[in-house]
């Protein structure tokens, strides 16, 4: 499955199948949340939250791809990601784009009379 942030695949004619998306709301456990809260006092990257967001983005992408495969898509164009905080320590990640199928080129048949 080709994923592209652009709206076309160079050299391909596309048939639009429709919008596909994948979403997840993910949180960290209380211990990680509490420890990360302490780390904000001294600054620096909150590794457990970075890992959480990377995992959530991966799951949302897989769900989007699964939906596109059900439609028979060859690619997803215009891929975008969004996120929002649902509550302290929990985030929603959404991946979305347009599922497309590559149109096959018509081949001209040649008869023996030509």
């Amino acid at each position: 499955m080709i994923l592209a942030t652009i709206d076309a695949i160079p050299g391909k004619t596309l048939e639009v199948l429709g919008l596909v998306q994948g979403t997840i709301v993910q949180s960290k456990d209380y211990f990680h949340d509490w420890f990360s809260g302490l780390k904000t006092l001294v600054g620096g990257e909150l590794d457990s939250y970075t890992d959480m967001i990377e995992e959530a983005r991966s799951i949302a992408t897989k769900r989007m791809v699964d939906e596109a495969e059900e439609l028979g898509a060859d690619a997803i164009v215009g891929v975008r990601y969004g996120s929002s905080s649902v509550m302290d320590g929990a985030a929603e990640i959404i991946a979305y784009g347009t599922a497309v199928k590559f149109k096959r080129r018509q081949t001209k048949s040649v008869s023996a009379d030509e």
Side-chain angles (χ1 to χ4, degrees):
M1 178 73 57
I2 297 171
L3 303 179
T5 58
I6 57 178
D7 294 328
I9 305 292
K12 300 288 186 182
T13 302
L14 307 178
E15 173 188 345
V16 173
L17 301 177
L19 175 70
V20 290
Q21 65 179 356
T23 187
I24 183 172
V25 175
Q26 186 142 341
S27 69
K28 273 294 178 196
D29 61 66
Y30 178 78
F31 175 75
H32 281 101
D33 195 41
W34 183 80
F35 185 71
S36 293
L38 291 177
K39 191 167 183 179
T40 61
L41 297 174
V42 295
E45 182 177 0
L46 303 175
D47 295 329
S48 63
Y49 281 101
T50 299
D51 293 344
M52 177 188 77
I53 294 298
E54 287 176 359
E55 180 184 1
R57 188 179 303 117
S58 177
I59 292 168
T61 300
K62 182 181 181 331
R63 290 176 179 174
M64 175 183 65
V65 168
D66 290 347
E67 191 173 311
E69 286 175 343
E70 287 179 16
L71 296 175
D74 296 313
I76 304 171
V77 296
V79 173
R80 302 290 185 267
Y81 292 92
S83 66
S84 63
S85 177
V86 177
M87 57 185 281
D88 285 343
E92 175 195 31
I93 302 293
I94 184 169
Y96 61 96
T98 302
V100 297
K101 189 159 192 66
F102 300 147
K103 285 188 176 179
R104 308 294 179 219
R105 292 185 182 181
Q106 298 290 340
T107 57
K108 183 179 176 184
S109 60
V110 179
S111 68
D113 297 333
E114 290 183 29

